[in-house]
């Protein structure tokens, strides 16, 4: 009887242990914010996908704004060069205006002098005319008859000639002064018109340049504000997606722990009293890891899907059972654990040498088993991690995505998948 009850007792103990684990996991999940508790794994993945699309759109907006800023800065620089040329032209025009102003002042002075001389000459001429009308003009006969002697006669005749010459000279000077006044006034008018034209031209150029400069400055300030706002939104979106990925990783880790506990609580097929705690399924690893050209295949060939089933992504996806050990493809140092979208245990290996120009290799969707700590130096072919036992990160099942990364652990991109695929194929067939 006791022997027949023993399987039931073990089953009850296993059920109790499972309930305790569920309570612990639920308490962990329940400590999250209400939105995170209510979100299922599918909802989290959907939100992460939407968030990544938003991040991509914001990154494009920030990049476009940066390009627009660069274009505006180039336009402003070109305007500054044009302003320098215009400023030089303005300086030359200012110098010309200064010279013209000096000429105008001198012309005004000359005109004032000519007008004064003309006025004086006209007064002298007027007095002489009045005097000639008031007194009789002596003729030659009168001069001869009134002369007291020959010497007096000569002096009277000479005086008459000097008077006539002086009258003629005064008339000529008045006429010349009037012509000079007219010419100087005409030149002065032309100078004033030219000065007005140059001043108007300078004002138009300055006003146009000022408007253009102000417009460009306003545009650059608006684009800078737009880029700053989008960059702030981008940082917030990245933080939100990072938080969602962290929640998803915790949820997946909790699910993996529940699954492992469930496997351990199941009785062995023989129904023995030992009640078998399950262990990682045995995987045939072969005699040694397969290598070619200094590159080691990252999985046991017996566990990995054949090359025809591999698919390029940012790296190369290779299906294999959960908890399959993962080998170091090169000798190097483990520098990071955890990559966004690939789970919290995904390691990054920094190779001692270059692999076709790349130095960092990431192992996406790795699980907690066989994980070596950061800073551990491994040899090529040494077990350093394992494939996740279930859905780890954003995935549809156990598999390895291996590819090249930068020094921050971020995948370089799908353009390097072809290089990784060639190395994997050569090592697999080696």
């Amino acid at each position: 009887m006791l022997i027949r009850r023993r399987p039931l007792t073990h089953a009850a103990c296993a059920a109790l242990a499972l309930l305790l684990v569920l309570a612990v996991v639920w308490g962990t999940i329940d400590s999250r914010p209400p939105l995170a508790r209510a979100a299922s794994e599918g909802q989290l993945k959907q939100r992460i996908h939407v968030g990544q699309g938003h991040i991509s759109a914001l990154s494009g907006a920030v990049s476009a704004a940066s390009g627009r800023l660069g274009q505006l800065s180039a336009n402003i620089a070109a305007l500054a060069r044009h302003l320098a040329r215009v400023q030089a032209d303005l300086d030359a025009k200012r110098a010309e205006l200064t010279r013209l102003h000096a000429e105008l002042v001198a012309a005004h002075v000359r005109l004032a002098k000519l007008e004064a001389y003309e006025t004086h000459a006209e007064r002298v001429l007027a007095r002489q005319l009045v005097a000639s009308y008031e007194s009789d003009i002596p003729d030659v006969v009168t001069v001869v008859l009134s002369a007291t002697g020959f010497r007096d006669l000569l002096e009277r005749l000479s005086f008459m000639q000097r008077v006539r010459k002086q009258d003629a000279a005064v008339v000529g000077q008045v006429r010349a002064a009037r012509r000079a006044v007219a010419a100087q006034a005409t030149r002065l008018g032309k100078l004033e018109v030219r000065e007005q034209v140059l001043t108007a031209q300078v004002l138009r150029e300055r006003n146009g340049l000022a408007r253009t400069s102000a417009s460009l400055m306003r545009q650059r300030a608006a684009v800078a504000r737009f880029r700053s706002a989008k960059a702030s939104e981008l940082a917030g979106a990245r933080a939100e997606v990072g938080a969602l990925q962290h929640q998803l990783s915790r949820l997946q880790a909790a699910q993996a722990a529940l699954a492992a506990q469930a496997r351990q609580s199941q009785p062995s097929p023989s129904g023995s009293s030992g009640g078998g705690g399950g262990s990682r399924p045995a995987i045939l690893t072969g005699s040694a890891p397969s290598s070619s050209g200094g590159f080691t295949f990252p999985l046991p060939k017996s566990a990995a899907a054949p090359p025809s089933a591999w698919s390029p992504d940012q790296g190369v996806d290779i299906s294999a059972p959960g908890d399959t050990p993962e080998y170091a493809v090169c000798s190097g140092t483990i520098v990071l654990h955890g990559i966004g979208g690939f789970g919290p245990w995904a390691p990054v290996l920094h190779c001692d040498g270059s692999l076709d120009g790349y130095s960092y290799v990431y192992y996406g969707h790795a699980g907690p088993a066989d994980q070596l700590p950061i800073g551990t130096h491994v040899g090529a072919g040494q077990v350093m991690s394992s494939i996740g036992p279930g859905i780890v990160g954003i995935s549809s099942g156990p598999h390895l995505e291996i590819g090249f990364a930068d020094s921050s652990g971020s995948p370089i991109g799908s353009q390097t998948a072809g290089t990784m695929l060639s190395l994997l194929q050569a090592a697999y067939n080696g």
Side-chain angles (χ1 to χ4, degrees):
M1 295 296 290
L2 291 175
I3 295 174
R4 281 198 296 269
R5 286 196 193 97
R6 186 170 296 172
L8 295 176
T9 303
H10 285 296
C13 291
L16 180 60
L18 180 59
L19 288 174
L20 289 174
V21 172
L22 284 172
V24 171
V25 172
W26 177 254
T28 303
I29 297 175
D30 193 59
S31 64
R32 302 174 189 173
L35 182 60
R37 291 201 302 269
S40 65
E41 182 176 350
Q43 290 172 334
L44 284 174
K45 288 183 179 179
Q46 178 63 24
R47 290 175 62 191
I48 290 173
H49 178 71
V50 172
Q52 289 175 337
H54 190 206
I55 287 174
S56 178
L58 288 174
S59 297
V62 171
S63 177
S66 298
R68 177 61 178 159
L69 275 179
Q71 181 181 4
L72 285 172
S73 297
N75 291 340
I76 290 173
L79 179 62
R81 292 191 295 271
H82 182 60
L83 276 172
R85 292 192 296 270
V86 171
Q87 186 63 43
D89 185 50
L90 289 178
D91 293 339
K93 287 179 180 178
R94 286 196 189 100
E96 186 175 359
L97 285 174
T98 302
R99 182 178 58 80
L100 287 176
H101 182 71
E103 290 183 7
L104 283 173
V105 173
H108 277 294
V109 171
R110 287 193 299 272
L111 180 59
K113 289 180 179 180
L114 286 173
E115 288 177 345
Y117 181 77
E118 180 189 11
T119 301
H120 175 71
E122 287 178 349
R123 283 199 300 267
V124 171
L125 182 60
R127 285 197 302 269
Q128 290 180 354
L129 289 174
V130 170
S132 65
Y133 278 113
E134 290 179 349
S135 61
D136 294 333
I137 301 175
D139 54 11
V140 176
V141 175
T142 302
V143 171
V144 171
L145 293 177
S146 61
T148 58
F150 184 74
R151 185 178 180 85
D152 183 45
L153 175 63
L154 292 177
E155 289 179 355
R156 289 176 179 271
L157 291 175
S158 176
F159 175 74
M160 290 180 63
Q161 290 177 354
R162 288 198 301 272
V163 169
R164 291 192 182 97
K165 288 181 180 179
Q166 185 178 3
D167 290 343
V170 169
V171 172
Q173 289 175 357
V174 168
R175 289 177 179 175
R178 287 178 176 177
R179 287 194 296 269
V181 167
Q184 191 66 24
T186 302
R187 183 170 181 272
L188 183 60
K190 291 181 179 179
L191 288 176
E192 288 179 349
V193 170
R194 185 178 180 187
E195 184 179 19
Q196 291 174 358
V197 170
L198 287 174
T199 302
Q201 182 179 358
V202 167
L203 289 177
R204 283 197 301 272
E205 289 181 354
R206 279 198 163 183
N207 292 338
L209 290 173
R211 286 193 296 271
T212 303
S213 179
S215 175
L216 288 177
M217 292 297 183
R218 287 194 298 270
Q219 291 180 38
R220 186 168 67 175
V223 173
R225 288 193 298 270
F226 175 81
R227 186 180 68 172
S228 177
K230 291 302 178 183
S232 179
E233 290 183 30
L234 178 60
R238 283 174 173 167
E240 182 180 358
V241 169
L244 290 173
Q245 289 175 340
H246 181 64
Q247 292 177 19
L248 180 61
S249 298
R250 291 177 61 186
L251 180 59
Q252 290 171 342
Q255 291 174 348
L258 288 176
Q261 186 64 32
R263 288 196 302 269
Q264 291 176 0
S265 64
Q266 293 176 356
S268 62
S270 60
S272 62
S273 60
S279 61
R280 192 171 72 183
I283 297 173
L284 297 176
T285 61
S287 58
S290 178
S291 301
S292 175
F295 183 88
T296 300
F297 192 71
L299 298 171
K301 292 173 60 175
S302 59
S308 60
W310 302 348
S311 59
D313 197 346
Q314 295 189 81
V316 178
D317 290 335
I318 304 174
S319 297
D323 292 328
T324 298
E326 295 175 339
Y327 302 143
V329 297
C330 61
S331 62
T333 303
I334 300 172
V335 294
L336 290 170
H337 278 160
I339 307 172
F342 293 101
W345 302 291
V348 177
L349 178 64
H350 180 226
C351 296
D352 294 334
S354 175
L355 298 176
D356 280 3
Y358 303 100
S359 300
Y360 294 87
V361 179
Y362 70 91
Y363 291 68
H365 311 295
D370 297 325
Q371 284 286 346
L372 297 180
I374 293 175
T376 302
H377 188 275
V378 295
Q382 181 178 341
V383 175
M384 53 175 283
S385 59
S386 64
I387 289 180
I391 296 177
V392 178
I394 303 175
S395 67
S396 58
H399 74 285
L400 165 66
E401 180 178 322
I402 185 168
F404 295 113
D406 58 23
S407 58
S408 69
S410 300
I412 295 177
S414 58
Q415 67 271 19
T416 64
T419 302
M420 177 58 73
L421 181 61
S422 299
L423 294 171
L424 291 169
Q425 290 172 341
Y428 185 87
N429 297 323

